[in-house]
Amino acid sequence: ENEMQDLYNGKVDSTCTLYFNGFENNPFQGAFAGSGAFSGEIKKWNNLLNEKLANGLPGDTCEILFWAKGFETDLFARSIFEFVQKDGDQTVNYKYDQFQRYFCSLSDGWMRIRISFVLKTASDRVMLSVRNEDLKHFQLVVDDLLIRKKL
């Protein structure tokens, strides 16, 4: 998407972008952008994110956005994500749901997922995992995982 161009060019507003991983350390042919993407067996839990956020304030509305490849595959939209938000050891937000309820755009075989949440503290930890037990022989591919304050 065009909104990502500034991020790719290193010209990002750091007050709004809390985290970005383009997975460039994992080379992958056919990545959404750049030369890397996360990949793993979708039938198992894939831990995409476990990050303590900085630069946010309690009450900031934020969103996790990422691209997942394969939306045209039968049952892919039923892939499950588990989102956990913690303040220390205490879970303050939990979501367990299907991609199909959170996709916001489609592009060349990729589905963009958007998960909104509100910061409870200035240092919340957010975790995100994905799986689909119905797709036995399918590779999960995720690219451009971004956490930002909601625009």
Side-chain angles (χ1 to χ4, degrees):
E1 284 194 8
N2 292 337
E3 70 176 303
M4 298 294 288
Q5 205 57 48
D6 284 343
L7 188 64
Y8 299 147
N9 294 332
K11 300 174 186 173
V12 68
D13 179 356
S14 61
T15 62
C16 289
T17 301
L18 303 179
Y19 176 84
F20 177 72
N21 189 347
F23 301 102
E24 297 307 311
N25 61 344
N26 186 40
F28 188 85
Q29 181 97 18
F32 183 81
S35 59
F38 176 93
S39 62
E41 289 181 63
I42 200 166
K43 68 181 179 181
K44 299 178 182 177
W45 280 112
N46 290 271
N47 299 315
L48 302 177
L49 177 67
N50 184 346
E51 196 67 31
K52 190 172 185 177
L53 300 179
N55 301 327
L57 297 172
D60 283 348
T61 300
C62 300
E63 55 192 6
I64 296 175
L65 295 134
F66 62 91
W67 289 98
K69 187 172 187 170
F71 77 83
E72 295 163 334
T73 302
D74 192 31
L75 302 177
F76 181 77
R78 292 188 194 169
S79 296
I80 299 292
F81 72 83
E82 180 180 53
F83 168 77
V84 180
Q85 181 180 354
K86 289 190 167 202
D87 174 9
D89 290 334
Q90 181 182 4
T91 298
V92 294
N93 191 357
Y94 179 82
K95 295 179 182 181
Y96 182 88
D97 212 336
Q98 296 180 347
F99 279 5
Q100 64 187 345
R101 294 186 180 99
Y102 289 82
F103 83 92
C104 58
S105 56
L106 305 170
S107 179
D108 295 325
W110 292 82
M111 172 187 282
R112 194 167 199 204
I113 306 298
R114 175 183 287 134
I115 304 165
S116 296
F117 65 100
V118 176
L119 288 178
K120 306 299 183 196
T121 71
S123 59
D124 286 357
R125 176 170 298 281
V126 292
M127 296 168 274
L128 181 67
S129 299
V130 172
R131 81 168 172 192
N132 187 324
E133 292 179 303
D134 296 325
L135 291 173
K136 303 293 184 204
H137 306 287
F138 191 81
Q139 184 177 33
L140 173 68
V141 179
V142 169
D143 205 358
D144 287 359
L145 192 148
L146 170 68
I147 302 175
R148 68 179 180 196
K149 293 180 187 177
K150 198 165 184 176
L151 303 174

